[in-house]
Amino acid sequence: MQPKIISRTALAAFTSLGLLAGTVSVSFAAEFSLTLMPFAEGFVSPMALSQLPDGRMLLADQAGVLYVIGKDGKAAEEPVLDFRPKMVDLKKDFDERGLLDVVVHPKFATTRKVYVVYSAPKQASTPADWDNTLTVSEFKLPKGDVLKLDEKSERVLLRIDKPFFNHNGGRIAFGPDGLLYIGVGDGGAGNDQGKRPDTGNGQNLQTHLGKILRINVDKGNPYSVPSDNPFANGKEGKPEIFAYGIRNPWGISFDQGGKRELFVSDVGQDLFEEVDIIQKGGNYGWNLREAFHGFDPKKPKTSPEPGATKGVRGELLLDPILEYPHRAANSSMIAGTSITGGYVYRGKTIKGLQGAYVFGEWSRTGGPGDGRIMVAGRPASGSKWSVDYPVINGAAAGKAGAYVIAFGQDSEGEVYVLTNGARGPAGKGGKVWKLAPGEAAVAAAK
Ligand SMILES: [Ca+2]
């Protein structure tokens, strides 16, 4: 699929957004456009990409299979590991469980270690009416070019009991500090009022649910807690907690440039979707707030304004950097249903996108093929980022033409879009696309 060259007028609109890399402001012209270039296909529901030092990528398919794909996007016939025997059975029509993420150790060339998150069956100690065990594990790859995980090398780092099948989070990322950050959802169901006694998990410092965790996988057995974690001594809260007040962190990523900030897309409930830049010890509000608004679990479809501003420790609840509503104000237009977290673009091929956060909407109407790609720009002043819908070349009305379920990024900062043709982990319509310049930028390169 080669993008077509278009007029100089559109080119002028596009290049007006030129800017420098780093934490400078980003804004977009009305005609800002992107192209989705086919990269890899034939998967069920691709959830995560992580690049190896040799350029190949590990791809985690929600259905439970870990693949390696070459620079040409072709998957090796033999999977790196089949996790299905370790996982719960997934619901084909819709499921939030599965093989949820894979990341390569920052020093993979010497450690040969990779980290995965998957939904294992309940433990013997789990309450009978709970659902699954969110499992974070380390595996070691034998030396050599053939990538086949040694199943016996599994070192389980964390097992987190999950009351419901949804709101797992289960997305992980290594920070510039070499520590592993783990996003964990609030446990599931609605209003963060789950199965007792685990009510209000987001604001409860005695559970890993509804948190961003941080651990050191290079020390301790199976890990150690960094001494500067906010509750490292374990007295006031779980020592692994890095930040809290999170609902369902679907996508966590560190900016490869700028100040190396941690971006988290937090899926909202009935009214708003949000993106947060996470600070150590920050309380991001759930379930006292939803994005920039108050939240009342007894009246979830009406935001109390201004709503709560402080948490139980008297700490200020932190605002996101952006929100978008499920329905635009005074309109029946559906703007979104579930945010899909992405990456700050640091690649070279898309001029003007450097420093922008690229993310998506799973399916604006919840129906087939209605996923969206969005770009957010840092403001020149203040803390609220702008949200724009680029035109997606070749797809009507900017639509991705599929469910946008995840994003990936390579070592060069280029961004990939992971889509599923179906609502759940079924079929073989899962694809990976590489983001490329819109038509105008292709013209500029000629
Ligand atoms: Ca929030």
Side-chain angles (χ1 to χ4, degrees), residues 274 276 284 291:
E274 71 178 78
D276 302 293
Y284 289 84

Side-chain angles (χ1 to χ4, degrees), residues 144-298:
D145 280 346
V146 177
L147 294 181
K148 188 86 187 158
L149 278 189
D150 177 2
E151 194 170 347
K152 292 194 188 73
S153 73
E154 180 169 16
R155 213 163 62 101
V156 175
L157 302 178
L158 282 170
R159 288 188 179 96
I160 300 172
D161 291 331
K162 283 285 325 307
F164 298 92
F165 86 103
N166 60 349
H167 303 188
N168 300 294
R171 307 291 280 183
I172 54 178
F174 278 100
D177 51 13
L179 302 172
L180 186 66
Y181 291 72
I182 303 157
V184 186
D186 70 5
N191 302 312
D192 194 12
Q193 302 273 296
K195 291 176 178 168
R196 290 177 189 281
D198 287 318
T199 53
N201 290 316
Q203 296 295 319
N204 178 356
L205 296 173
Q206 302 303 328
T207 171
H208 289 139
L209 297 172
K211 306 295 181 316
I212 305 296
L213 310 178
R214 182 174 76 164
I215 61 175
N216 185 343
V217 299
D218 295 323
K219 281 186 180 170
N221 186 18
Y223 61 84
S224 71
V225 169
S227 59
D228 62 337
N229 268 13
F231 310 110
N233 65 17
K235 285 181 186 159
E236 204 186 345
K238 291 269 189 196
E240 294 85 1
I241 294 172
F242 182 75
Y244 57 107
I246 307 286
R247 184 176 179 273
N248 185 16
W250 189 243
I252 78 174
S253 66
F254 281 91
D255 185 355
Q256 291 181 356
K259 294 182 189 165
R260 309 296 309 272
E261 291 161 311
L262 173 57
F263 286 74
V264 169
S265 283
D266 198 7
V267 179
Q269 184 166 303
D270 294 309
L271 299 176
F272 300 99
E273 303 295 311
E274 71 178 78
V275 177
D276 302 293
I277 293 180
I278 299 291
Q279 310 289 341
K280 183 167 79 176
N283 182 346
Y284 289 84
W286 181 250
N287 66 353
L288 302 172
R289 296 185 73 74
E290 188 180 37
F292 287 99
H293 312 270
F295 182 82
D296 178 357
K298 294 188 186 72

Side-chain angles (χ1 to χ4, degrees), residues 91-107:
K91 297 184 288 185
K92 302 286 182 220
D93 59 332
F94 178 76
D95 213 320
E96 296 183 17
R97 303 168 301 175
L99 180 58
L100 299 176
D101 208 351
V102 59
V103 296
V104 171
H105 190 282
K107 292 181 180 151

